[in-house]
Amino acid sequence: MIRWTAYKIRPEEFLENEVVDNTLIIEGKRIHRVRILGEVKKVSETSILMFELEGGVIVKDFEKKGKDIKEKDLIDVIGRVSQFEGSPYISLELYKIRNENRDKWRELRDLEIEITRKYMEDEGEKSPKDYSEGDKEDLISEEMFEDVYREEGDIKDMVLKIIKDRESVGYEELLKIVKIDEYELDKILEELLEEGYIYEPKAGIYKAVQ
């Protein structure tokens, strides 16, 4: 099953735009997952763990993954767009605390949003598609790539080698092959982009610089 893209947005965009059927409508396009960088203003815990980010964005942590999150932490959140009794919130999937170099992270996020916004696609009300018969060949190829690259000592080198060998590779493919969490992969991709080894011709698609 292919997951929706987690689009990077500003906290205020989550609050200022309409949520319909668990999709956030931005510039007329409906998206299911978001990634938001924001400072924690309030933490509360009842049957669920809940965080309020700057501006009033609510993040609900049903699995209580974020017990180490405290007020004033700058956190990078990936989650599904959800709504309860007319009040929108983010259902937490992954997070990373970004307290070091906070200004740098904010500056980088603003730049990422500016660059990737034009690639945002309208996901509508459809569901993520199951793999078709043709996709099964890709899955077999991914298993082969995993065997080939498993012996590589440096994950960053492994990611770069996969991108070079495949010429063009999607984010979800990389996650499946490398088997690391999204934040670790994001960090590696950001470094490779900054160092000029790869570029992103379209949001979530990576190619090696020749």
Side-chain angles (χ1 to χ4, degrees):
M1 185 70 76
I2 299 176
R3 289 186 301 168
W4 298 116
T5 298
Y7 287 106
K8 297 179 179 76
I9 67 171
R10 298 179 179 85
E12 60 268 23
E13 290 184 299
F14 187 78
L15 298 169
E16 294 170 356
N17 289 281
E18 187 179 10
V19 172
V20 178
D21 295 328
N22 292 333
T23 62
L24 180 68
I25 303 176
I26 294 184
E27 299 175 2
K29 298 173 181 177
R30 290 170 288 185
I31 60 175
H32 292 75
R33 296 173 73 231
V34 294
R35 182 168 175 178
I36 289 179
L37 182 71
E39 182 175 303
V40 178
K41 297 300 183 182
K42 183 179 179 182
V43 179
S44 59
E45 182 175 0
T46 52
S47 59
I48 62 172
L49 190 58
M50 188 162 66
F51 311 99
E52 181 178 333
L53 305 186
E54 56 194 76
V57 174
I58 300 298
V59 179
K60 294 186 180 182
D61 181 3
F62 293 95
E63 298 178 17
K64 298 188 177 181
K65 303 173 182 177
K67 284 185 172 285
D68 60 332
I69 297 176
K70 304 176 183 63
E71 290 183 14
K72 297 186 179 180
D73 279 343
L74 183 67
I75 61 173
D76 197 354
V77 172
I78 291 176
R80 299 185 309 279
V81 177
S82 302
Q83 193 173 38
F84 179 71
E85 294 183 347
S87 298
Y89 67 91
I90 298 171
S91 180
L92 181 69
E93 295 178 342
L94 293 168
Y95 75 94
K96 186 76 172 181
I97 297 173
R98 303 286 197 190
N99 287 335
E100 293 186 16
N101 301 314
R102 297 165 72 104
D103 291 341
K104 177 184 175 183
W105 283 115
R106 287 186 182 277
E107 183 179 348
L108 177 61
R109 181 53 48 85
D110 285 341
L111 181 60
E112 290 173 328
I113 291 171
E114 181 181 346
I115 292 173
T116 61
R117 181 54 53 88
K118 61 184 176 182
Y119 299 114
M120 184 179 288
E121 297 180 356
D122 182 13
E123 297 171 338
E125 298 176 356
K126 58 188 178 181
S127 298
K129 69 180 183 67
D130 292 319
Y131 287 111
S132 65
E133 289 298 319
D135 293 323
K136 291 179 181 177
E137 295 181 5
D138 293 333
L139 289 175
I140 294 171
S141 298
E142 284 160 9
E143 290 174 1
M144 292 171 60
F145 267 93
E146 184 181 342
D147 290 338
V148 170
Y149 296 118
R150 186 180 293 279
E151 296 179 358
E152 295 286 342
D154 191 302
I155 295 178
K156 183 175 175 181
D157 288 343
M158 181 172 72
V159 170
L160 179 57
K161 186 168 177 57
I162 293 168
I163 295 172
K164 283 182 176 179
D165 287 355
R166 287 204 166 188
E167 296 186 359
S168 176
V169 62
Y171 184 84
E172 298 293 339
E173 284 183 282
L174 282 171
L175 274 179
K176 287 195 280 283
I177 297 169
V178 185
K179 296 189 181 302
I180 57 177
D181 67 51
E182 291 191 16
Y183 285 106
E184 188 174 357
L185 179 58
D186 286 349
K187 183 179 181 223
I188 289 170
L189 291 172
E190 285 169 4
E191 289 177 358
L192 291 173
L193 286 165
E194 288 175 0
E195 292 165 2
Y197 289 111
I198 64 172
Y199 64 103
E200 194 175 8
K202 183 178 178 182
I205 302 295
Y206 300 93
K207 289 188 175 185
V209 174
Q210 301 300 322

